[in-house]
Each structure stands twice: as C-alpha cells, then as structure tokens.
Amino acid sequence: LNAFYSRALYSASWILHFLENDSAAEVLRQRAIDIAKNIRKLCWDERQDLFLDSYPPNGEGGIVGLHSNVLAMYGALASSDQYERLFDRLLLPEAPHFTLPTTDLLTPFFGGFLLENAYSLNRRQWAFDFMKDYWGGMLENGAETWHEYYNPVLHFKKNFQYSSCHAYGLSPVLYIFSEILGIRPASPGFEQVIFSPAYEQLEWAKAVIPTVRGRIKVEWHYSDGTLAVKMRSEFSFELVLGLDDNKQNSDEWDISSNIRIVSKENLRD
C-alpha cells in the first residue's frame, strides 16, 4: 500500500509540475521521499539485502517476499543505488525467473509491475523473455483468454473457482506498443513522441496507435543490420529517436511530412 501511495504521489507531483504548480508538486514529492526514508528505516534488511514484508515485532526477524520487493521498486521506495542490485537479487534471466518463492496464486496483474520495473531499468531482453514465458506459457497451456491466476512453475489446469477471463492480464499490450513497436509519448497529448523499437527481439512490427489527437501508423522491419521504417500520422508531432546513431541515418525511412525528427536534447521536461 505504501508503495502504491508513493508512486501516486510522484505521478501527481509530475502532473502539477507540468501545470507549472511547482510549489504543490514539491510538497507531494517531499511526502513521497519521507515515506521511502521511513520504509527503508523500518523494513530494509541489511543481512538479506532485501525489504521485509512488514516491520517485524521487536525489530527482529521478519519475512522477505517477492511481491513486497518488486512493489518497493515500483513505488520508488529503494535508494537510487539499490535498483539494479534488487532486480538481480530477485529475478533470473531464464524461467522460472524468480529467486524467491511464489504463491500458487501468482497473477498477471503482478506481472505488469515486473514489466514496468524491467523496462524502467532498460532490461528490455528480460522483459521480452518474461512476456513470452509467462503470457506465452499461459497460451501454450490451453488458455484462450488471460486468467486471473497463473503460475508457470505449476502444471496449468482449469479451476472454475477463479476467473478464466480477467482484464488485468492485459498489461503486455501497453509494452507491445511502447517498448516493442517502440512508440510512446514524451509529452502530454503526443506533442513529442519517442521512437525506440525493439529490433533486437523482433524482425518486424506494425500497428495503428489511437491517440487523443488522431492515429499514428507505424511499421518497421529489421534485416542485415538495416532498420526500415514507415510512419504516418493524422497530426503533427516531434519524433525523438531512441536509437543507436548507426540506425538513425538509414535510407530506408519513410516518414510523413507532418512528423519532424528532433534530437534528444529537445525533449521537454
């Protein structure tokens, strides 16, 4: 709960900063910082190098769980030097991916926080592999829609005591657009858009992205070191390239005239 509250405070602070209400933004940011300091003081276990699930009685002992530590990362409760170490401490590059025990009732909802942490730390390959292993594994085991619970370590079988068609299993859809196709807003209203396709994982991708200002059509192919891009938009915007320099100068780019490419230095706060 504290992790979600902290994340909400930072998100609200960002919105207020964008609206040029910096004094109110700073109040919320400082509140989030204070929460994180107190959580680290009460629940960080130096011996295990992990967060405890809760403050232990008499300040001794305590349980270390996967969910609490993943959400501590999501809620910015860890100190700045702990995130990479926490990720490696909690998660493995190959299935089953977890170093700590998981419950039978592992949810795709929780998987969304794992993906968010991974992409925030630029662990793109881990996130891609986890999507294939977890959601792909659910499909391979007979699912026709996303289930409320799924633990890939256990043998999959239908259980009608829980939902076999649950909306919170859809979190990969967000990252298919933003991290694999590689289109995400850099400013409200898609006035600036970042393009950072996952050509390391796929040979091609294409999609139509609905936005509040109209649709963006994107198609890219990657072969023999060359990235070919076709992009059309129903509105004008600035495109910021999140690519290696040798991928930005391709002759295979076909972008409509209302899309203007700008450098990363032009990103707005």
Side-chain angles (χ1 to χ4, degrees), residues 7 51 68-78 82-84 86-87 90 117 121:
R7 178 82 175 209
F51 284 96
S68 295
N69 282 274
V70 168
L71 292 177
M73 296 174 66
Y74 175 78
L77 300 181
Q82 290 176 322
Y83 288 95
E84 296 284 353
L86 268 173
F87 192 93
L90 295 169
N117 287 347
L121 294 172

Side-chain angles (χ1 to χ4, degrees), residues 13-254:
S13 177
W14 184 90
I15 292 171
L16 288 168
H17 172 70
F18 179 80
L19 296 175
E20 299 182 353
N21 191 344
D22 290 339
S23 59
E26 181 58 24
V27 169
L28 298 188
R29 191 183 74 87
Q30 191 58 54
R31 188 179 300 171
I33 290 172
D34 292 342
I35 290 171
K37 286 180 178 178
N38 287 321
I39 293 294
R40 290 197 296 271
K41 179 180 178 181
L42 294 173
C43 296
W44 179 255
D45 189 310
E46 292 286 354
R47 181 177 58 84
Q48 300 185 75
D49 208 26
L50 290 168
F51 284 96
L52 302 174
D53 286 358
S54 60
Y55 181 67
N58 304 318
E60 298 180 359
I63 299 173
V64 169
L66 175 67
H67 287 70
S68 295
N69 282 274
V70 168
L71 292 177
M73 296 174 66
Y74 175 78
L77 300 181
S79 58
S80 58
D81 63 335
Q82 290 176 322
Y83 288 95
E84 296 284 353
R85 190 166 74 249
L86 268 173
F87 192 93
D88 292 332
R89 179 76 173 80
L90 295 169
L91 302 166
L92 301 169
E94 298 177 352
H97 294 291
F98 309 123
T99 63
L100 297 178
T102 59
T103 68
D104 293 355
L105 303 180
L106 191 64
T107 68
F109 178 68
F110 176 66
F113 299 111
L114 289 166
L115 293 177
E116 177 65 23
N117 287 347
Y119 280 119
S120 295
L121 294 172
N122 201 30
R123 303 293 188 97
R124 289 161 65 102
Q125 188 62 53
W126 188 94
F128 184 78
D129 291 342
F130 181 69
M131 275 192 275
K132 289 198 302 180
D133 291 338
Y134 188 81
W135 281 270
M138 202 185 308
L139 294 174
E140 289 176 358
N141 279 293
E144 297 177 351
T145 52
W146 303 130
H147 287 228
E148 183 179 6
Y149 300 107
Y150 174 64
N151 190 329
V153 177
L154 305 175
H155 179 69
F156 183 90
K157 56 183 178 182
K158 287 187 177 180
N159 183 336
F160 294 101
Q161 295 177 359
Y162 62 83
S163 170
S164 60
C165 182
H166 217 67
Y168 69 28
L170 291 172
S171 53
V173 174
L174 169 64
Y175 302 103
I176 288 172
F177 282 116
S178 65
E179 302 291 345
I180 295 178
L181 181 69
I183 289 287
R184 65 184 187 273
S187 62
F190 282 80
E191 292 183 359
Q192 285 190 324
V193 173
I194 294 176
F195 181 50
S196 181
Y199 58 83
E200 308 95 333
Q201 283 95 36
L202 293 176
E203 294 180 357
W204 65 272
K206 67 177 180 178
V208 178
I209 304 168
T211 80
V212 294
R213 300 174 63 202
R215 296 182 300 175
I216 304 173
K217 298 181 181 181
V218 181
E219 181 176 356
W220 59 259
H221 296 259
Y222 184 69
S223 178
D224 297 327
T226 298
L227 179 65
V229 179
K230 182 176 182 180
M231 191 178 301
R232 298 287 183 269
S233 176
E234 295 177 348
F235 60 95
S236 300
F237 64 84
E238 295 179 341
L239 185 68
V240 182
L241 302 182
L243 295 165
D244 296 335
D245 290 340
N246 63 334
K247 300 294 187 300
Q248 297 184 19
N249 300 318
S250 173
D251 294 331
E252 302 293 330
W253 286 46
D254 179 8

